[in-house]
Short mmCIF file of all heavy atoms in Angstrom, two decimals:
data_model
loop_
_atom_site.label_atom_id
_atom_site.label_comp_id
_atom_site.label_asym_id
_atom_site.label_seq_id
_atom_site.Cartn_x
_atom_site.Cartn_y
_atom_site.Cartn_z
N VAL Y 1312 -5.43 -8.49 -230.49
CA VAL Y 1312 -6.61 -7.64 -230.26
C VAL Y 1312 -6.68 -7.20 -228.82
O VAL Y 1312 -6.93 -6.00 -228.54
CB VAL Y 1312 -7.91 -8.38 -230.69
CG1 VAL Y 1312 -9.12 -7.60 -230.25
CG2 VAL Y 1312 -7.90 -8.68 -232.24
N ILE Y 1313 -6.49 -8.07 -227.91
CA ILE Y 1313 -6.48 -7.72 -226.48
C ILE Y 1313 -5.46 -6.69 -226.18
O ILE Y 1313 -5.73 -5.69 -225.52
CB ILE Y 1313 -6.31 -8.96 -225.55
CG1 ILE Y 1313 -7.54 -9.92 -225.71
CG2 ILE Y 1313 -6.06 -8.60 -224.14
CD1 ILE Y 1313 -7.37 -11.23 -225.06
N GLU Y 1314 -4.27 -6.90 -226.73
CA GLU Y 1314 -3.15 -5.89 -226.53
C GLU Y 1314 -3.53 -4.55 -227.03
O GLU Y 1314 -3.38 -3.58 -226.38
CB GLU Y 1314 -1.95 -6.46 -227.24
CG GLU Y 1314 -0.73 -5.46 -227.28
CD GLU Y 1314 -0.01 -5.47 -225.94
OE1 GLU Y 1314 -0.48 -6.22 -224.94
OE2 GLU Y 1314 0.96 -4.67 -225.82
N LYS Y 1315 -4.22 -4.52 -228.27
CA LYS Y 1315 -4.65 -3.21 -228.78
C LYS Y 1315 -5.64 -2.57 -227.82
O LYS Y 1315 -5.65 -1.34 -227.58
CB LYS Y 1315 -5.16 -3.41 -230.14
CG LYS Y 1315 -4.22 -3.42 -231.31
CD LYS Y 1315 -4.93 -3.31 -232.64
CE LYS Y 1315 -3.90 -3.11 -233.74
NZ LYS Y 1315 -4.56 -2.77 -234.99
N VAL Y 1316 -6.64 -3.39 -227.40
CA VAL Y 1316 -7.67 -2.81 -226.48
C VAL Y 1316 -7.02 -2.32 -225.29
O VAL Y 1316 -7.40 -1.26 -224.67
CB VAL Y 1316 -8.77 -3.88 -226.19
CG1 VAL Y 1316 -9.71 -3.37 -225.14
CG2 VAL Y 1316 -9.48 -4.24 -227.49
N ASN Y 1317 -6.12 -3.03 -224.71
CA ASN Y 1317 -5.36 -2.60 -223.46
C ASN Y 1317 -4.69 -1.21 -223.73
O ASN Y 1317 -4.82 -0.39 -222.87
CB ASN Y 1317 -4.39 -3.63 -223.04
CG ASN Y 1317 -5.01 -4.76 -222.34
OD1 ASN Y 1317 -6.16 -4.70 -221.92
ND2 ASN Y 1317 -4.30 -5.87 -222.31
N ILE Y 1318 -4.01 -1.14 -224.80
CA ILE Y 1318 -3.19 0.05 -225.07
C ILE Y 1318 -4.17 1.29 -225.21
O ILE Y 1318 -4.08 2.34 -224.66
CB ILE Y 1318 -2.38 -0.09 -226.33
CG1 ILE Y 1318 -1.25 -1.12 -226.07
CG2 ILE Y 1318 -1.69 1.27 -226.67
CD1 ILE Y 1318 -0.50 -1.44 -227.27
N GLU Y 1319 -5.37 0.99 -226.02
CA GLU Y 1319 -6.30 2.03 -226.22
C GLU Y 1319 -6.95 2.50 -224.95
O GLU Y 1319 -7.12 3.70 -224.68
CB GLU Y 1319 -7.42 1.58 -227.24
CG GLU Y 1319 -8.28 2.69 -227.63
CD GLU Y 1319 -9.34 2.38 -228.65
OE1 GLU Y 1319 -9.16 1.39 -229.45
OE2 GLU Y 1319 -10.42 2.97 -228.75
N THR Y 1320 -7.25 1.49 -224.08
CA THR Y 1320 -7.79 1.85 -222.75
C THR Y 1320 -6.84 2.75 -221.97
O THR Y 1320 -7.21 3.69 -221.34
CB THR Y 1320 -8.16 0.54 -221.92
OG1 THR Y 1320 -8.97 -0.22 -222.71
CG2 THR Y 1320 -8.81 0.85 -220.62
N SER Y 1321 -5.53 2.33 -222.02
CA SER Y 1321 -4.48 3.05 -221.19
C SER Y 1321 -4.37 4.54 -221.76
O SER Y 1321 -4.32 5.45 -220.99
CB SER Y 1321 -3.12 2.38 -221.41
OG SER Y 1321 -3.22 1.14 -220.89
N ILE Y 1322 -4.43 4.64 -223.03
CA ILE Y 1322 -4.33 5.95 -223.74
C ILE Y 1322 -5.50 6.87 -223.18
O ILE Y 1322 -5.30 7.99 -222.75
CB ILE Y 1322 -4.36 5.93 -225.31
CG1 ILE Y 1322 -3.14 5.21 -225.81
CG2 ILE Y 1322 -4.46 7.33 -225.80
CD1 ILE Y 1322 -3.08 5.05 -227.23
N ARG Y 1323 -6.70 6.32 -223.28
CA ARG Y 1323 -7.95 7.07 -222.83
C ARG Y 1323 -7.80 7.47 -221.39
O ARG Y 1323 -8.14 8.56 -220.95
CB ARG Y 1323 -9.20 6.23 -223.11
CG ARG Y 1323 -9.57 6.15 -224.59
CD ARG Y 1323 -10.82 5.43 -224.82
NE ARG Y 1323 -11.08 5.07 -226.12
CZ ARG Y 1323 -11.55 6.00 -227.08
NH1 ARG Y 1323 -11.73 7.20 -226.74
NH2 ARG Y 1323 -11.66 5.60 -228.37
N LYS Y 1324 -7.31 6.54 -220.58
CA LYS Y 1324 -7.18 6.73 -219.17
C LYS Y 1324 -6.12 7.84 -218.84
O LYS Y 1324 -6.37 8.76 -218.10
CB LYS Y 1324 -6.69 5.44 -218.47
CG LYS Y 1324 -6.87 5.54 -216.93
CD LYS Y 1324 -6.45 4.22 -216.33
CE LYS Y 1324 -5.38 4.14 -215.37
NZ LYS Y 1324 -4.01 4.54 -215.67
N CYS Y 1325 -5.06 7.78 -219.58
CA CYS Y 1325 -3.97 8.78 -219.38
C CYS Y 1325 -4.45 10.13 -219.81
O CYS Y 1325 -4.07 11.15 -219.27
CB CYS Y 1325 -2.70 8.39 -220.11
SG CYS Y 1325 -1.81 7.06 -219.30
N LEU Y 1326 -5.25 10.23 -220.91
CA LEU Y 1326 -5.71 11.53 -221.37
C LEU Y 1326 -6.80 12.09 -220.36
O LEU Y 1326 -6.64 13.29 -219.97
CB LEU Y 1326 -6.50 11.37 -222.70
CG LEU Y 1326 -5.64 11.29 -224.01
CD1 LEU Y 1326 -6.44 10.89 -225.18
CD2 LEU Y 1326 -4.92 12.63 -224.19
N ALA Y 1327 -7.68 11.23 -219.83
CA ALA Y 1327 -8.70 11.67 -218.92
C ALA Y 1327 -8.12 12.12 -217.60
O ALA Y 1327 -8.57 13.10 -216.98
CB ALA Y 1327 -9.68 10.54 -218.69
N ASN Y 1328 -7.10 11.46 -217.14
CA ASN Y 1328 -6.50 11.75 -215.87
C ASN Y 1328 -5.16 12.60 -215.94
O ASN Y 1328 -4.47 12.81 -214.89
CB ASN Y 1328 -6.19 10.46 -215.07
CG ASN Y 1328 -7.36 9.58 -214.92
OD1 ASN Y 1328 -8.52 10.12 -214.90
ND2 ASN Y 1328 -7.18 8.30 -214.79
N ASP Y 1329 -4.90 13.09 -217.08
CA ASP Y 1329 -3.69 13.98 -217.35
C ASP Y 1329 -2.48 13.22 -216.81
O ASP Y 1329 -1.65 13.79 -216.02
CB ASP Y 1329 -3.93 15.24 -216.48
CG ASP Y 1329 -2.95 16.31 -217.03
OD1 ASP Y 1329 -2.36 16.17 -218.08
OD2 ASP Y 1329 -2.76 17.36 -216.28
N GLU Y 1330 -2.31 12.00 -217.23
CA GLU Y 1330 -1.18 11.23 -216.72
C GLU Y 1330 -0.07 10.96 -217.68
O GLU Y 1330 0.95 10.36 -217.37
CB GLU Y 1330 -1.69 9.82 -216.35
CG GLU Y 1330 -2.46 9.83 -214.99
CD GLU Y 1330 -3.05 8.51 -214.66
OE1 GLU Y 1330 -3.27 7.68 -215.57
OE2 GLU Y 1330 -3.44 8.41 -213.46
N PHE Y 1331 -0.15 11.47 -218.90
CA PHE Y 1331 0.99 11.41 -219.89
C PHE Y 1331 2.22 12.19 -219.34
O PHE Y 1331 1.96 13.13 -218.50
CB PHE Y 1331 0.64 11.91 -221.28
CG PHE Y 1331 -0.10 10.91 -222.08
CD1 PHE Y 1331 -1.41 11.01 -222.35
CD2 PHE Y 1331 0.64 9.76 -222.61
CE1 PHE Y 1331 -2.09 10.06 -223.14
CE2 PHE Y 1331 -0.03 8.80 -223.36
CZ PHE Y 1331 -1.40 8.99 -223.63
N MET Y 1355 4.13 7.07 -221.79
CA MET Y 1355 2.87 6.68 -221.16
C MET Y 1355 3.19 5.78 -219.93
O MET Y 1355 3.64 4.77 -220.12
CB MET Y 1355 2.01 5.87 -222.18
CG MET Y 1355 0.64 5.54 -221.57
SD MET Y 1355 -0.55 5.04 -222.84
CE MET Y 1355 -0.08 3.40 -223.28
N PRO Y 1356 2.84 6.29 -218.82
CA PRO Y 1356 3.05 5.54 -217.61
C PRO Y 1356 2.07 4.38 -217.40
O PRO Y 1356 0.87 4.52 -217.88
CB PRO Y 1356 2.81 6.50 -216.40
CG PRO Y 1356 2.27 7.69 -217.03
CD PRO Y 1356 2.22 7.66 -218.52
N SER Y 1357 2.51 3.21 -217.01
CA SER Y 1357 1.59 2.15 -216.67
C SER Y 1357 2.04 1.39 -215.52
O SER Y 1357 3.27 1.39 -215.12
CB SER Y 1357 1.55 1.16 -217.91
OG SER Y 1357 2.62 0.30 -217.75
N TYR Y 1358 1.11 0.86 -214.68
CA TYR Y 1358 1.49 0.23 -213.38
C TYR Y 1358 2.36 -1.06 -213.69
O TYR Y 1358 3.35 -1.18 -212.92
CB TYR Y 1358 0.16 -0.21 -212.70
CG TYR Y 1358 -0.54 0.95 -212.09
CD1 TYR Y 1358 -1.75 1.33 -212.52
CD2 TYR Y 1358 0.13 1.70 -211.02
CE1 TYR Y 1358 -2.43 2.44 -211.94
CE2 TYR Y 1358 -0.57 2.73 -210.46
CZ TYR Y 1358 -1.79 3.17 -210.90
OH TYR Y 1358 -2.35 4.23 -210.40
N GLU Y 1359 2.00 -1.80 -214.64
CA GLU Y 1359 2.73 -3.05 -214.91
C GLU Y 1359 4.06 -2.86 -215.53
O GLU Y 1359 4.93 -3.56 -215.25
CB GLU Y 1359 1.85 -4.06 -215.69
CG GLU Y 1359 0.48 -4.30 -215.20
CD GLU Y 1359 -0.53 -3.23 -215.83
OE1 GLU Y 1359 -0.36 -2.86 -216.97
OE2 GLU Y 1359 -1.38 -2.71 -215.00
N ILE Y 1363 5.91 3.54 -220.96
CA ILE Y 1363 5.74 2.92 -222.25
C ILE Y 1363 6.32 3.87 -223.36
O ILE Y 1363 5.91 5.10 -223.28
CB ILE Y 1363 4.31 2.52 -222.66
CG1 ILE Y 1363 3.60 1.95 -221.40
CG2 ILE Y 1363 4.22 1.78 -223.86
CD1 ILE Y 1363 3.77 0.48 -221.23
N SER Y 1367 5.29 2.17 -228.87
CA SER Y 1367 4.32 1.21 -228.55
C SER Y 1367 2.91 1.77 -228.56
O SER Y 1367 1.99 0.85 -228.32
CB SER Y 1367 4.65 0.67 -227.18
OG SER Y 1367 5.97 0.11 -227.15
N PHE Y 1368 2.67 3.02 -228.61
CA PHE Y 1368 1.29 3.47 -228.59
C PHE Y 1368 0.95 4.61 -229.63
O PHE Y 1368 -0.18 4.79 -229.87
CB PHE Y 1368 0.86 3.88 -227.17
CG PHE Y 1368 1.61 5.15 -226.63
CD1 PHE Y 1368 0.99 6.43 -226.82
CD2 PHE Y 1368 2.74 5.05 -225.97
CE1 PHE Y 1368 1.72 7.55 -226.35
CE2 PHE Y 1368 3.46 6.14 -225.49
CZ PHE Y 1368 2.85 7.41 -225.72
N LEU Y 1371 -1.00 3.18 -232.71
CA LEU Y 1371 -2.44 2.84 -232.40
C LEU Y 1371 -3.16 4.24 -232.26
O LEU Y 1371 -4.39 4.32 -232.59
CB LEU Y 1371 -2.54 1.98 -231.23
CG LEU Y 1371 -4.00 1.53 -230.97
CD1 LEU Y 1371 -4.36 0.51 -231.95
CD2 LEU Y 1371 -4.06 0.97 -229.47
N ALA Y 1372 -2.52 5.11 -231.61
CA ALA Y 1372 -3.25 6.44 -231.38
C ALA Y 1372 -3.50 7.22 -232.72
O ALA Y 1372 -4.52 7.75 -232.90
CB ALA Y 1372 -2.32 7.36 -230.57
N THR Y 1375 -6.53 5.23 -234.28
CA THR Y 1375 -7.87 5.40 -233.61
C THR Y 1375 -8.26 6.92 -233.64
O THR Y 1375 -9.42 7.22 -233.27
CB THR Y 1375 -7.89 5.05 -232.14
OG1 THR Y 1375 -6.64 5.66 -231.52
CG2 THR Y 1375 -7.60 3.50 -232.05
N LEU Y 1377 -6.94 9.03 -231.65
CA LEU Y 1377 -6.60 9.59 -230.23
C LEU Y 1377 -5.38 10.56 -230.29
O LEU Y 1377 -5.22 11.36 -229.43
CB LEU Y 1377 -6.42 8.45 -229.25
CG LEU Y 1377 -7.69 7.71 -228.86
CD1 LEU Y 1377 -7.35 6.31 -228.18
CD2 LEU Y 1377 -8.52 8.57 -227.92
N ILE Y 1381 -3.94 13.67 -228.04
CA ILE Y 1381 -2.61 13.53 -227.42
C ILE Y 1381 -1.70 14.64 -227.97
O ILE Y 1381 -1.03 15.36 -227.21
CB ILE Y 1381 -1.97 12.18 -227.86
CG1 ILE Y 1381 -2.63 11.05 -227.20
CG2 ILE Y 1381 -0.42 12.23 -227.47
CD1 ILE Y 1381 -2.12 9.57 -227.67
#
Side-chain angles (χ1 to χ4, degrees):
V1312 171
I1313 290 169
E1314 174 74 0
K1315 275 194 171 188
V1316 171
N1317 283 340
I1318 295 172
E1319 187 175 338
T1320 305
S1321 301
I1322 295 175
R1323 289 184 190 281
K1324 191 176 121 299
C1325 285
L1326 279 171
N1328 303 334
D1329 197 14
E1330 285 172 343
F1331 276 110
M1355 181 166 74
S1357 84
Y1358 286 115
E1359 309 86 40
I1363 315 277
S1367 302
F1368 66 92
L1371 187 71
T1375 54
L1377 287 165
I1381 296 176

